[in-house]
Amino acid sequence: FSASAVGELKFSFVKLSFILFLCRSFSESSDKGWFRSLFVHKVDARKDAHSNLLSKKETSNLYKIQFHNIKPECLEAYNTLEAEVQKRLHQDQDYPCEVVGSWNTWYGEQDQAVHIWRYRGGYPALTECLTKLNNNKEYLEFRKERAKMLISRRNQLLLEFSFWNEPLPRPGPNIYEMRTYYLKPGTMIEWGNHWARAIKYRQENNEAVGGFFSQIGDLYVVHHLWAYENLQSREDTRNTAWQKEGWDANVYYTVPLIRSMESRIMIPTKSSPLQ
């Protein structure tokens, strides 16, 4: 090496050593130091529960989603029995609840029924409805008969996102996709912020049915419900979204928030308001 090259190397080594010394010194100092603040992302404390920040203010709807795993040989009898009970509850104005939709899973977990109920009036309406049902001998007999057909069941209580459509009855025939996202704890607000902008990319074909997030049951769970004419329509609609500027950014920023996800393709039962 020439003398000048050696000199430049020594000078570079001195600069590097000095930078490392500064890094070590500042990292060992107070958290309030200016250097450390360059690397530490400060998040402002949230001022309210995400249920209040993300749900609709003009309504007090509470939703319940039920997943019933049915003995394969009992599926038809189960659908008939469930349809009769839903019909009676709809006709009786004393019960402040209504079925939003009922489906059988086509692709996903087999021999499964999915029901979404709406309680207009929130938790008080849910409590009133359950109290009345528990004192209804006919309903209690229905539950006993239904229990003979089930392998397992689970449910969640949900709120609807403020920026999603309220799920309303629609004619068919349609297939429905429920995309369920299990988020990392603490990310619901960020998820909602991104989807509040992204939902506009998924409205052209009237495919957006409803968007919900869990309050009781499995937490940090999001359900998006979509309607399509058929599987090819689903494929075409989803591909079209990727051609719109901004959709890719939504996917890029929301994927890191997800722990896991699943998709169900569902067929509405004959009694479902969503056809």
Side-chain angles (χ1 to χ4, degrees):
F1 293 104
S2 64
S4 60
V6 171
E8 289 178 3
L9 285 173
K10 287 183 177 179
F11 182 68
S12 298
F13 179 77
V14 170
K15 287 198 299 183
L16 179 60
S17 299
F18 181 69
I19 291 172
L20 290 175
F21 170 77
L22 285 177
C23 291
R24 188 179 303 110
S25 299
F26 281 111
S27 65
E28 293 173 354
S29 63
S30 170
D31 286 352
K32 297 180 180 180
W34 67 269
F35 185 85
R36 188 176 179 83
S37 68
L38 296 176
F39 298 95
V40 177
H41 177 60
K42 295 183 178 178
V43 179
D44 292 334
R46 197 169 65 202
K47 303 301 182 183
D48 205 349
H50 66 245
S51 58
N52 294 330
L53 295 173
L54 295 174
S55 61
K56 293 182 178 179
K57 299 294 189 298
E58 67 275 14
T59 66
S60 56
N61 292 337
L62 180 69
Y63 292 84
K64 178 173 70 175
I65 188 168
Q66 297 174 306
F67 300 96
H68 290 173
N69 294 315
I70 306 158
K71 297 175 181 178
E73 67 274 15
C74 297
L75 184 59
E76 185 175 348
Y78 169 92
N79 285 338
T80 301
L81 182 63
E82 190 73 36
E84 180 61 28
V85 172
Q86 290 176 6
K87 178 181 177 181
R88 294 187 184 187
L89 287 177
H90 269 272
Q91 292 175 344
D92 194 332
Q93 298 300 315
D94 285 341
Y95 293 92
C97 65
E98 56 189 339
V99 64
V100 173
S102 290
W103 303 266
N104 292 140
T105 301
W106 184 20
Y107 289 103
E109 197 162 354
Q110 297 292 284
D111 302 310
Q112 184 182 71
V114 179
H115 309 288
I116 298 179
W117 294 82
R118 180 191 290 118
Y119 298 87
R120 295 192 183 276
Y123 289 107
L126 172 67
T127 301
E128 178 186 351
C129 190
L130 292 180
T131 300
K132 290 179 177 179
L133 288 175
N134 287 331
N135 290 289
N136 185 323
K137 292 182 179 180
E138 190 176 14
Y139 179 76
L140 295 177
E141 287 300 317
F142 151 73
R143 291 195 61 176
K144 289 181 181 179
E145 189 64 26
R146 186 186 66 181
K148 300 174 185 177
M149 306 177 185
L150 297 180
I151 298 172
S152 65
R153 60 194 178 100
R154 62 186 176 91
N155 59 23
Q156 296 171 348
L157 292 181
L158 314 171
L159 294 176
E160 57 187 329
F161 283 109
S162 60
F163 47 85
W164 268 80
N165 313 342
E166 180 175 346
L168 299 173
R170 66 171 64 197
N174 296 292
I175 64 170
Y176 290 80
E177 180 179 21
M178 180 175 289
R179 296 177 71 86
T180 300
Y181 303 90
Y182 301 89
L183 304 185
K184 298 174 183 177
T187 61
M188 188 65 73
I189 295 293
E190 189 175 354
W191 177 274
N193 287 339
H194 288 301
W195 267 97
R197 295 187 292 268
I199 190 63
K200 64 183 179 183
Y201 302 115
R202 299 296 308 275
Q203 298 279 14
E204 289 184 5
N205 295 327
N206 196 31
E207 69 266 27
V209 178
F212 312 91
F213 59 98
S214 62
Q215 283 292 283
I216 296 179
D218 293 334
L219 297 179
Y220 286 96
V221 178
V222 170
H223 301 287
H224 290 175
L225 186 62
W226 310 93
Y228 305 100
E229 291 182 7
N230 49 52
L231 288 175
Q232 186 59 54
S233 171
R234 170 187 177 274
E235 180 75 5
D236 295 341
T237 301
R238 289 175 56 80
N239 286 339
T240 299
W242 283 100
Q243 309 306 316
K244 299 174 182 177
E245 185 177 356
W247 175 252
D248 56 340
N250 174 65
V251 174
Y252 177 83
Y253 287 113
T254 55
V255 165
L257 310 180
I258 301 170
R259 290 186 289 118
S260 63
M261 58 185 289
E262 61 180 319
S263 168
R264 288 178 177 82
I265 301 297
M266 308 183 300
I267 304 297
T269 62
K270 294 178 181 180
S271 61
S272 176
L274 288 168
Q275 286 293 312

